[in-house]
Amino acid sequence: ETGVTQTPRHLVMGMTNKKSLKCEQHLGHNAMYWYKQSAKKPLELMFVYNFKEQTENNSVPSRFSPECPNSSHLFLHLHTLQPEDSALYLCASSFYPSGTSGEHNEQFFGPGTRLTVL
Amino acid sequence: AQKITQTQPGMFVQEKEAVTLDCTYDTSDQSYGLFWYKQPSSGEMIFLIYQGSYDEQNATEGRYSLNFQKARKSANLVISASQLGDSAMYFCAMREFDIQGAQKLVFGQGTRLTINP
């Protein structure tokens, strides 16, 4: 495997279900991110982990629970979701610290998990 | 207030023509970075090009170039000799740093580019 992988690619769940999204990066990065992409809205940053420590939680509802057991793996645990949580969930990784503006240090994205909440 | 603005929801261009995708940004930081990503229908965000705020020259990467006008706070993407495979969503993003030095990307709404044969 290369780059950033995400599983599953598609997920349909009911509002009472509990599921988890998985992300794995094979790039040697030490920062990982969860983004939410809803229809007709810009990508929204949800969580940031640097060196396995969460440094950002963008006012995300508690029904989304991230977990980062090591610098290569990132999970997003889902429970009692709402239909409006249906979206594409993208994982990304990069190096940390990010350095100066002169360095690219772009984030590499996975293919996403298309989540539908019924 | 929106930090990244992409005013073109959709663009239609003939194959082999050049196309410019607009992006304006808003920041009070002196040090920042601007990115363009491409998102095909498969969903993955693909990095295209980067411009640092202190870079004196416009960035170029193959057929992609960035028209960076710092005073106007614009960072337009230019794609030369467009190809059918260029059809996708294109996102402009600005990098911000939190107090711990971690980077965050703030994205615009995107522009859907369609290349016609």
Side-chain angles (χ1 to χ4, degrees):
Chain A
E1 294 279 15
T2 59
V4 181
T5 58
Q6 290 187 243
T7 55
R9 293 294 309 275
H10 300 273
L11 178 62
V12 180
M13 59 187 289
M15 288 191 285
T16 58
N17 292 155
K18 288 185 180 181
K19 296 287 185 183
S20 295
L21 310 185
K22 179 183 176 183
C23 175
E24 184 173 0
Q25 60 94 3
H26 310 268
L27 300 168
H29 291 157
N30 48 22
M32 297 187 76
Y33 313 80
W34 279 117
Y35 289 87
K36 176 184 179 183
Q37 187 177 25
S38 305
K40 303 189 180 187
K41 289 179 69 175
L43 270 79
E44 302 169 78
L45 178 65
M46 300 175 71
F47 300 104
V48 179
Y49 276 84
N50 296 306
F51 290 114
K52 302 184 296 178
E53 292 188 7
Q54 183 178 319
T55 62
E56 181 79 18
N57 176 345
N58 253 8
S59 302
V60 179
S62 59
R63 56 186 184 268
F64 295 93
S65 174
E67 178 190 1
C68 188
N70 55 60
S71 59
S72 298
H73 294 85
L74 185 65
F75 295 89
L76 188 62
H77 303 299
L78 317 171
H79 63 98
T80 59
L81 294 192
Q82 305 298 311
E84 60 264 28
D85 296 323
S86 298
L88 180 68
Y89 289 85
L90 290 161
C91 173
S93 69
S94 73
F95 287 111
Y96 168 84
S98 306
T100 68
S101 68
E103 298 174 16
H104 292 197
N105 195 21
E106 68 268 27
Q107 292 182 19
F108 289 78
F109 284 79
T113 295
R114 175 71 62 186
L115 173 67
T116 303
V117 181
L118 301 177
Chain B
Q2 198 151 10
K3 293 194 174 185
I4 297 287
T5 303
Q6 295 180 251
T7 58
Q8 306 152 311
M11 290 276 288
F12 295 85
V13 173
Q14 285 300 120
E15 190 180 7
K16 300 182 184 176
E17 289 184 352
V19 57
T20 297
L21 305 182
D22 295 340
C23 173
T24 57
Y25 59 93
D26 182 25
T27 182
S28 56
D29 293 343
Q30 296 300 310
S31 176
Y32 53 89
L34 297 158
F35 296 79
W36 277 91
Y37 281 86
K38 172 185 178 181
Q39 187 179 39
S41 56
S42 58
E44 183 175 353
M45 301 283 281
I46 302 168
F47 165 72
L48 295 178
I49 196 167
Y50 168 84
Q51 181 84 42
S53 58
Y54 293 118
D55 294 342
E56 294 186 352
Q57 304 229 349
N58 287 340
T60 60
E61 290 284 351
R63 293 188 298 112
Y64 304 108
S65 61
L66 206 150
N67 184 0
F68 182 47
Q69 298 188 40
K70 194 171 182 177
R72 297 180 58 187
K73 293 188 175 179
S74 74
N76 298 338
L77 176 69
V78 180
I79 306 174
S80 62
S82 57
Q83 302 170 356
L84 295 178
D86 294 333
S87 295
M89 284 290 291
Y90 287 81
F91 292 93
C92 179
M94 181 169 63
R95 176 169 62 196
E96 299 180 322
F97 294 94
D98 66 18
I99 56 174
Q100 293 154 310
Q103 66 162 314
K104 303 186 297 180
L105 288 181
V106 178
F107 284 84
Q109 310 94 310
T111 296
R112 181 170 297 282
L113 176 63
T114 302
I115 308 299
N116 295 316

